[in-house]
Amino acid sequence: MSSTFLVKGVSVLGAEPTDLLIRDGVVAEVGGDARGAQVVDAAGLVALPGLVDLHTHLREPGREDAETVESGSRAAALGGYTAVCAMANTSPVADTAGVVEQVWRLGREAGLVDVQPIGAVTVGLAGQHLAELGAMATSAAKVRIFSDDGHCVSDARLMRRALEYVKAFDGVIAQHAEEPRLTEGAQMHEGEVSARLGLTGWPAVAEEAIIARDALLAGHVGARLHVCHVSTAGSVDVIRQAKAAGVRVTAEVTPHHLLLTDERATSYDPVFKVNPPLRTKTDVAALRSALAEGLIDIVATDHAPHAVEDKECEWAYARPGMIGLETALSIVLDVLGPDWELIAERMSRTPARIAGLTEHGRTPAPGEPATFTLFDPAARWEVDPTGSASRSRNTPYAGMTLPGRIVATFLRGEPTVLDGKAVK
Amino acid sequence: MIKHLLSAADLDAQHATLVLDTAAELANLSSREVKKLPTLRGRTVVNLFYEDSTRTRISFEAAAKRLSADVINFSAKGSSVSKGESLKDTALTLQAMGADAVVVRHPASGAPHRLAQWVDGSVVNAGDGTHEHPTQALLDAYTMRSRLGRLAGLHVAIVGDVLHSRVARSNVLLLTTLGAKVTVVGPPTLIPVDVGPALSPDLRVSYDLDAVLPDVDVVMMLRVQRERMNDSYFPSTREYARRYGLDAARMRRLPEHAIVMHPGPMVRGMEITPEVADSARSTIVEQVANGVSVRMAVLYLLLGGK
């Protein structure tokens, strides 16, 4: 049985306050019968289409100590997300129809966000043989995005084949752009700070060279390419050229690459270790303007939970990655300002379009699916790692005060978050 | 005085000079028949070594014992560490034992920084990965000062694998703090990207050893591992030695008074020839002796000496 909600006084994407009647999973026609509806006081709140994350690590199956589909889904809902795309680097790897269906089913059971599995490009992420991409595409999980994220599909011929092959079912290859020979043993961005800290450098060119190669390949075979976690100013230039040349390329940037720099490594606290690494001020500035301009199409979290023992150690021995689902919107608000149309475009509509999630990325209006989030832009909150719904604590924002808070999230008319708390 | 010695950059000119002056006073002790001071009686110094380094460990051990401290040697081999105990758990163990100072050698850059967050005692970095080795820089500075009478205005060339050298990083930081002029020399592949802005705005970089030698007061040769050849940092050991090794012919390009240093262990025939290493210009043995005095000074000052 679906419930009825009356969201009162809400500003949809910054427009004049209005009421939204939610019934049967959709936004009801204006002037509908609101009797018996549960009232949600949304004065001062902004309604955004439910956010869509194209890049989430849910760690299940395999590392349920760091995250589960359920705990990650809860963190996502609390961050305003209604759909997340679960990366394939689980254990076992999501490289078969069986594993992607398992993840998809766990997502349905959790019921907090739509969990859309991403399939591996190559068997075991080993970069040798194509996984059965077609079987994953036609499985119940209906996989459309394929990625070896964490590893680069570095073999040029294999990448070309993958790009070509998924055209048959309108798939897209999401590339983790990292030329592996240039990053052997790499610990952080190669530059002034790595020279001082004596940590092996991860040069920007290792990312840029792969993006350039892949854009040329995608153009050559007329395929879609998505570039994961773009982190350098040089990559922005390469993407600009590729787009100008008509290549079907989309790109994402993470909140942490929009906010933090490699100076953070000075503490040697591996909570700041991430792949690709935090870069320089110049890169951050270039990424911000590329996102505003649309050269970078979307924000994706690269939410990467890790167990305490994998972070509370020496920098070189720590796993790379940071959690980010619950902080993403606050950071994007900080970076882009309260331009709600732009934020909806970068965090909901465009990622939904890339992922082929037609029920997402739609502005709450009569007749549309009631899949949206209510955000209080005036709130400020201090990030407390222990307060996260994620099973992991590896947030780089601990102690920082961030603007804006999610108050409620609705998925097809059902609240997943109310009063800032997860409903289940 | 500062609490930890994690980086040579932790010392300003005043503190660095205090360490060197204290070391000079303590050096007189080693010429006495009874080489022991009661200063650190009842204090515990732990040598926590995750890498084999007999010379550095013995140097710290001798330093602590001459100050009457209790010394515990904790080697990563044959201990709980080899069973997979984390650095944090080891730190908490040392903390529970009441270590007043932990001298740590570790293959991971920054490990001493992590350790310093988990223990109450002082942490002394005895070499961390490819990051720093501040007491080596102090003993090198001490050696230069005792041989050449000053540090300010000296021109020091540091030659070799700067990229992977913790000795080079600490020396650049300390020597520039003390007013010396430093040039790092080596093949471009072994000089870190952006090394100048990273370490000191006054740092110079050269790829031409012969051009630098006539102008230096000190040439410090760094160890170059043969295995670097396999990662294409240079084509062959022969070519490396020809371009950047210090042999007798090159040594003759040095000014009369210039000294030759090496932090050890040397790879004779690679970065330095035996006739140079054993020449009168060479301070290599002196450096070892000075290491004990400088480490005594560091422990003395960190553990609450005046």
Side-chain angles (χ1 to χ4, degrees), chain A residues 190-200 266-270 311-317, chain B residues 87-88 106-111 113-114 117-118 128 130-131 169 192-195 197-199:
Chain A
E190 181 173 81
E192 204 179 311
V193 183
S194 68
R196 189 163 70 234
L197 298 184
L199 290 169
T200 306
T266 305
S267 65
Y268 288 102
D269 183 344
K311 283 291 190 182
E312 222 167 50
C313 59
E314 297 85 331
W315 180 283
Y317 307 157
Chain B
L87 181 64
K88 185 174 184 186
H106 200 290
S109 299
H113 290 71
R114 300 292 283 155
Q117 289 159 355
W118 297 321
D128 62 329
T130 53
H131 177 225
R169 269 180 197 77
V193 168
D194 292 340
V195 68
L199 297 180

Side-chain angles (χ1 to χ4, degrees), chain B residues 17 25 69 86-87 90 104 110 116 119 142 145 148 156-157 168 173 178 194 197 202 205 207 227 230 274 284 288 290:
Chain B
T17 306
E25 283 178 43
S86 73
L87 181 64
T90 302
V104 59
V119 297
Y142 182 90
R145 198 176 72 163
L148 300 169
V156 181
L173 292 168
L178 291 170
D194 292 340
D202 302 322
V205 177
Y207 309 133
E227 304 80 68
N230 303 329
I284 294 164
V288 176
N290 292 339

Side-chain angles (χ1 to χ4, degrees), chain B residues 56-76:
Chain B
T56 304
R57 186 182 57 73
I58 289 177
S59 182
F60 270 107
E61 187 172 349
K65 284 182 170 167
R66 283 186 194 173
L67 294 169
S68 305
D70 294 322
V71 179
I72 299 172
N73 286 313
F74 190 141
S75 156

Side-chain angles (χ1 to χ4, degrees), chain A residues 51-59 69 72-73 76 81-90 103 113-119 141-147 149 172 174 226 228 252 298 300-303 325 348 350-357 360:
Chain A
L51 307 183
V52 176
D53 191 18
L54 215 62
H55 194 144
T56 314
H57 296 274
L58 293 177
R59 301 291 184 227
V69 171
S73 293
Y81 287 89
T82 52
V84 299
C85 298
M87 271 298 172
N89 62 339
T90 48
V103 172
V113 291
D114 285 345
V115 174
Q116 173 57 55
I118 291 173
K142 295 191 178 64
V143 176
R144 288 296 176 274
I145 304 176
F146 299 90
S147 182
D149 182 62
V172 60
H226 178 74
C228 295
E252 73 190 30
I298 65 169
T301 65
D302 195 4
H303 176 82
L325 286 166
S348 176
T350 310
R353 195 157 57 236
I354 294 169
L357 299 171
H360 291 269

Side-chain angles (χ1 to χ4, degrees), chain B residues 3-303:
Chain B
K3 180 171 182 196
H4 307 292
L5 183 60
L6 305 177
S7 160
D10 294 342
L11 296 166
D12 58 18
Q14 189 195 342
H15 281 128
T17 306
L18 177 62
V19 174
L20 301 183
D21 291 346
T22 307
E25 283 178 43
L26 293 166
N28 295 328
L29 193 69
S30 52
S31 54
R32 295 207 317 228
E33 199 161 317
V34 177
K35 295 185 171 58
K36 216 158 173 165
L37 284 177
T39 321
L40 297 185
R41 186 181 292 149
R43 314 295 291 277
T44 301
V45 174
V46 175
N47 282 328
L48 177 60
F49 275 58
Y50 286 83
E51 276 184 344
D52 289 328
S53 173
T54 312
R55 72 169 62 213
T56 304
R57 186 182 57 73
I58 289 177
S59 182
F60 270 107
E61 187 172 349
K65 284 182 170 167
R66 283 186 194 173
L67 294 169
S68 305
D70 294 322
V71 179
I72 299 172
N73 286 313
F74 190 141
S75 156
K77 290 202 171 122
S79 73
S80 50
V81 171
S82 57
K83 295 169 194 152
E85 185 177 74
S86 73
L87 181 64
K88 185 174 184 186
D89 288 330
T90 302
L92 297 179
T93 303
L94 300 179
Q95 174 70 18
M97 286 185 216
D100 296 293
V102 181
V103 176
V104 59
R105 161 67 64 98
H106 200 290
S109 299
H113 290 71
R114 300 292 283 155
L115 196 62
Q117 289 159 355
W118 297 321
V119 297
D120 291 336
S122 291
V123 175
V124 179
N125 181 358
D128 62 329
T130 53
H131 177 225
E132 283 208 49
H133 193 355
T135 59
Q136 177 71 43
L138 285 163
L139 77 87
D140 289 338
Y142 182 90
T143 306
M144 288 176 215
R145 198 176 72 163
S146 49
R147 273 282 190 119
L148 300 169
R150 68 196 163 101
L151 287 165
L154 288 184
H155 184 193
V156 181
I158 301 176
V159 185
D161 185 357
V162 177
L163 180 64
H164 299 97
S165 175
R166 50 196 176 207
V167 175
R169 269 180 197 77
S170 287
N171 262 295
V172 170
L173 292 168
L174 184 71
L175 289 169
T176 51
T177 297
L178 291 170
K181 190 168 82 174
V182 183
T183 304
V184 290
V185 186
T189 46
L190 291 175
I191 304 288
V193 168
D194 292 340
V195 68
L199 297 180
S200 162
D202 302 322
L203 181 67
R204 303 168 186 204
V205 177
S206 170
Y207 309 133
D208 184 350
L209 181 56
D210 288 318
V212 170
L213 289 178
D215 183 47
V216 301
D217 304 294
V218 178
V219 56
M220 181 184 295
M221 304 306 293
L222 301 172
R223 181 168 60 118
V224 177
Q225 294 175 350
R226 290 196 167 84
E227 304 80 68
R228 302 289 178 215
M229 185 172 78
N230 303 329
D231 286 332
S232 298
Y233 285 105
F234 48 84
S236 67
T237 54
R238 200 172 51 182
E239 175 155 325
Y240 182 86
R242 201 184 299 132
R243 293 179 65 84
Y244 296 102
L246 191 60
D247 58 11
R250 280 216 169 92
M251 188 168 66
R252 284 194 288 275
R253 298 179 67 87
L254 287 166
E256 200 60 36
H257 67 278
I259 57 171
V260 174
M261 306 183 73
H262 196 299
M266 285 181 281
V267 188
R268 288 177 185 241
M270 178 78 180
E271 72 267 5
I272 195 164
T273 59
E275 52 191 324
V276 175
D278 302 331
S279 75
R281 290 176 183 277
S282 163
T283 63
I284 294 164
V285 178
E286 247 171 284
Q287 285 171 265
V288 176
N290 292 339
V292 177
S293 308
V294 160
R295 286 167 181 136
M296 285 172 77
V298 167
L299 291 172
Y300 174 77
L301 292 169
L302 288 184
L303 292 184

Side-chain angles (χ1 to χ4, degrees), chain A residues 362-379:
Chain A
R362 292 162 68 158
T363 303
E368 289 291 326
T371 298
F372 61 92
T373 190
L374 300 178
F375 186 62
D376 178 3

